[in-house]
Every structure is written in C-alpha cells, then in structure tokens.
Amino acid sequence: DVKVTQSSRYLVKRTGEKVFLECVQDMDHENMFWYRQDPGLGLRLIYFSYDVKMKEKGDIPEGYSVSREKKERFSLILESASTNQTSMYLCASSPDQNSGSKTYEQYFGPGTRLTVT
Amino acid sequence: SQQGEEDPQALSIQEGENATMNCSYKTSINNLQWYRQNSGRGLVHLILIRSNEREKHSGRLRVTLDTSKKSSSLLITASRAADTASYFCATDYTGYSTLTFGKGTMLLVSP
C-alpha cells in the first residue's frame, strides 16, 4: 500500500515562529503536493513539486515556501507563522502522468492540524 | 481558480437509501476524480473517469460524466453508516498532474 506520512497530526505554534511541516511518501512518486483545507473553502493548492529540487506555486503560495531535497520528502515551511495560517494541511503524492502509470490519483497523508496563536 | 462545485453541500439519508452527489466544473478536463474524506482525516481516492468516458462503476459507486454540460455525478447505492464522510470532486484540466478540488458534499447516513 502507498503510504504518505506527515510529521505531526496536531501542532500549536506562536505567531512569528518558523514552522516546518514534513511529508514523506514511500512509492517513489515524482509529484508531491501541499494543500490547506479550511471550512467552506475546500482544498486549496499551496505548492507542488514534480521532481527533486523543483517546485511550482499553486493557488495560494503567499506566506509559504517548500523544499524537496529528496524524492520521497516534501517540506512546507511557514517562514513567520500568522494566525490566518491556522488550518488543516494535507500532503499528497502521485506518479507522473508521463511515467507510464495508468493511474493519476493522488495519495494523501492524514493531515496536520496547525493552530497558530 | 477553476474550481468544481459540488451539490448539495450536505445530504442526510437513511441506511439502505441511495445517495447522489453532483459536481459542475468550468473548463475542459482530462479526467475527473472523486475522493472521500472521513472526519479530520486525509482524502481517499474513490474513482477516476476520463473525459472520453461517460459512465464508470466501482462496487456500489457509479460515476457519470457529461462533458457537454461540464458536470459529473456520484451515486452511492445501498448506503451504509460507514459511508458517512465528505465527498469531493477534483478535476485535472492542466494535464500536469495537478487537481482542482471542489468544496465537497457532507454525507450523513443514519442507521
């Protein structure tokens, strides 16, 4: 089974702190994604990466950065956490559509519920 | 962003009944996917339908796609209490492996 793990289920941080959210997948997937999920807004894409050291902005990248030093690991960084970044953060991975895989589904981690006070 | 919209926002039914959720989207797509999310958890992929397909089945799930109307429906037959969850449609319209998710339908199945 594909497994996507996230470093924490719950996290509480103070305003202004630097926050690292880690995501690891074990299926050798090329693509990795970070979303945030808020009530009434659904899932919104923050950043994604289609290869090591590659990153692309999603719909709401402001206030976030990412790092992908190894294929299996994709980190989301909040440089200076603010209260409006309180949210559920979901990581996902998928095979590349050009890799020969016939499935384009995304596999999600369990999520990290971040509270910034 | 080009987001799918699910309808209804919430649905409450009894066990054994069928549940139908709809999704509308705005632009041409490569494929459309449905996901389930149990409370406070990550999403789980249910089914994918490609733009050249009209209907697809998987167990108790039936998905239809009408590209002329830019809409899809998810039917869950003979619902169970364990089907209680939020259901999201997601569209792939870029061809670059990114998905755009709707806001979801919350389904409550009562015993």
Side-chain angles (χ1 to χ4, degrees):
Chain A
D1 279 352
V2 175
K3 185 170 273 188
V4 179
T5 57
Q6 295 183 229
S7 50
S8 305
R9 289 284 285 127
Y10 299 94
L11 205 54
V12 179
K13 295 291 182 180
R14 293 191 181 274
T15 301
E17 278 192 83
K18 191 168 186 176
V19 181
F20 292 86
L21 302 182
E22 304 284 340
C23 175
V24 177
Q25 50 96 4
D26 66 358
M27 277 301 291
D28 201 36
H29 284 166
E30 289 79 10
N31 302 316
M32 296 189 75
F33 309 85
W34 274 108
Y35 298 89
R36 63 176 284 175
Q37 183 178 23
D38 300 287
L41 296 177
L43 275 77
R44 293 179 290 167
L45 182 63
I46 305 172
Y47 267 98
F48 65 101
S49 168
Y50 53 87
D51 202 352
V52 176
K53 298 193 186 293
M54 305 301 289
K55 60 183 180 183
E56 296 287 341
K57 293 180 179 179
D59 298 318
I60 51 163
E62 296 78 19
Y64 303 93
S65 62
V66 291
S67 172
R68 193 164 181 202
E69 296 296 318
K70 293 185 178 181
K71 190 175 185 179
E72 68 270 19
R73 188 179 298 269
F74 192 34
S75 303
L76 180 69
I77 303 155
L78 287 67
E79 296 290 342
S80 177
S82 63
T83 55
N84 63 14
Q85 292 178 310
T86 291
S87 187
M88 168 73 100
Y89 289 88
L90 293 163
C91 175
S93 71
S94 75
D96 187 83
Q97 291 193 22
N98 298 316
S99 67
S101 171
K102 293 183 179 179
T103 63
Y104 309 135
E105 63 193 82
Q106 291 188 9
Y107 296 83
F108 282 81
T112 295
R113 190 167 292 281
L114 172 68
T115 301
V116 183
T117 61
Chain B
S1 64
Q2 303 292 338
Q3 208 175 34
E5 292 287 338
E6 290 92 343
D7 171 59
Q9 287 187 313
L11 182 60
S12 184
I13 60 174
Q14 300 290 316
E15 262 191 331
E17 294 180 342
N18 295 341
T20 300
M21 288 158 267
N22 303 296
C23 170
S24 60
Y25 56 92
K26 297 177 183 175
T27 64
S28 297
I29 58 172
N30 297 304
N31 65 71
L32 185 144
Q33 304 179 31
W34 285 91
Y35 288 79
R36 183 187 74 228
Q37 183 181 35
N38 291 92
S39 180
R41 293 288 178 173
L43 279 70
V44 174
H45 180 264
L46 294 176
I47 197 165
L48 179 152
I49 187 165
R50 301 183 197 285
S51 59
N52 60 354
E53 298 175 314
R54 292 297 166 259
E55 188 171 313
K56 206 160 182 182
H57 297 254
S58 177
R60 294 184 295 113
L61 305 180
R62 173 178 167 251
V63 169
T64 61
L65 179 65
D66 187 335
T67 53
S68 66
K69 295 181 179 178
K70 292 187 172 57
S71 68
S72 174
S73 67
L74 171 67
L75 168 67
I76 304 174
T77 59
S79 296
R80 306 166 182 167
D83 294 327
T84 294
S86 291
Y87 292 81
F88 295 86
C89 70
T91 52
D92 169 14
Y93 66 94
T94 65
Y96 289 101
S97 302
T98 58
L99 294 175
T100 301
F101 286 83
K103 297 177 183 178
T105 292
M106 290 181 59
L107 173 65
L108 174 64
V109 182
S110 302

